[in-house]
Amino acid sequence: MVSEAAAWGIFVVALGMVLSPGPNTIYLVSRSISQGWRAGLVSLLGTLVGFVVYMTMANVGVAAVFELVPWLFIGLKVAGALYLLYLAWNVIRPDGASPFEARDMPPDSAMKLFRMGLLTNLLNPKSAIMYLALIPQFITPGLSPTMLQGFLLGGIQIVTSISVNGLYVMAAGGIATFLRDRPAWMVAQRGVTGTVLGAVGLTLALDNPMPT
């Protein structure tokens, strides 16, 4: 099992990351706006499979690596904190982007939609950082097997990400229109997202204990 604090921590981090503009969200929203919510859901299924692939590969490898190289744990924590701060800056800077500033795309088949959702996620640096740098720092040594904790925390991240992205897909057109007609709301959305990411990044940077 995992601690309640770890479960809530990974939920907050996952929520902050899925609310920030990134390849997955931008692709899913753009596809939903241009081809409809059904196309967005097919793409989202590919994204889900990509998360499962990352979670499996990371947990099988990370559990063994941490046993051999304990200092790598610290390095991954620092990398994760820095990356969150980088994401926060990209959102709140004057020329930052919102995921609802979507691009037009030509219609694609269901197979291509699934494949593009999968590849977009597998090539997304946010996904790699989540499993290789962020999730491991919420693992509590000795509480339960490291690999089990990794899969449980990864499951929380997947449910959070897929749920929020699913809402984006279903409401993409309406939200994009709403924000486009209300620039102040667009700025507020970016501000909240950047603040959450920055706060979590600073917390992780300042709380950096040695692994046991």
Side-chain angles (χ1 to χ4, degrees):
M1 301 298 292
V2 298
S3 67
E4 183 177 348
W8 278 107
I10 205 65
F11 169 76
V12 171
V13 172
L15 184 62
M17 294 187 75
V18 75
L19 290 176
S20 68
N24 287 345
T25 301
I26 291 174
Y27 174 75
L28 292 170
V29 169
S30 298
R31 181 54 66 191
S32 299
I33 292 174
S34 64
Q35 198 173 338
W37 62 268
R38 291 180 178 85
L41 289 181
V42 174
S43 301
L44 182 61
L45 180 59
T47 300
L48 169 62
V49 174
F51 278 133
V52 173
V53 170
Y54 257 124
M55 180 176 63
T56 302
M57 293 178 62
N59 280 300
V60 170
V62 168
V65 170
F66 281 167
E67 293 294 331
L68 296 175
V69 190
W71 277 96
L72 185 59
F73 187 89
I74 296 295
L76 289 175
K77 289 193 69 172
V78 172
L82 291 177
Y83 187 69
L84 281 176
L85 294 174
Y86 168 76
L87 290 177
W89 167 246
N90 279 341
V91 174
I92 64 176
R93 68 184 184 182
D95 59 342
S98 166
F100 292 96
E101 297 171 355
R103 300 167 295 174
D104 291 330
M105 294 181 171
D108 285 321
S109 66
M111 181 57 68
K112 185 173 183 180
L113 290 170
F114 175 85
R115 184 171 65 250
M116 288 302 297
L118 173 62
L119 291 177
T120 300
N121 198 14
L122 291 178
L123 298 176
N124 182 5
K126 289 173 65 175
S127 299
I129 290 294
M130 171 63 73
Y131 286 101
L132 296 178
L134 296 180
I135 289 181
Q137 58 195 297
F138 290 96
I139 292 175
T140 304
L143 180 62
S144 62
T146 300
M147 188 177 298
L148 174 61
Q149 291 187 61
F151 275 107
L152 291 175
L153 293 172
I156 293 173
Q157 181 273 324
I158 290 176
V159 171
T160 302
S161 180
I162 295 301
S163 297
V164 174
N165 276 318
L167 293 176
Y168 282 156
V169 166
M170 299 302 295
I175 295 176
T177 300
F178 178 87
L179 293 177
R180 185 181 64 244
D181 296 339
R182 297 168 177 81
W185 283 73
M186 180 76 79
V187 173
Q189 181 262 336
R190 288 171 47 200
V192 171
T193 299
T195 300
V196 170
L197 288 171
V200 175
L202 286 174
T203 299
L204 296 179
L206 296 175
D207 180 23
N208 191 28
M210 289 283 292
T212 58

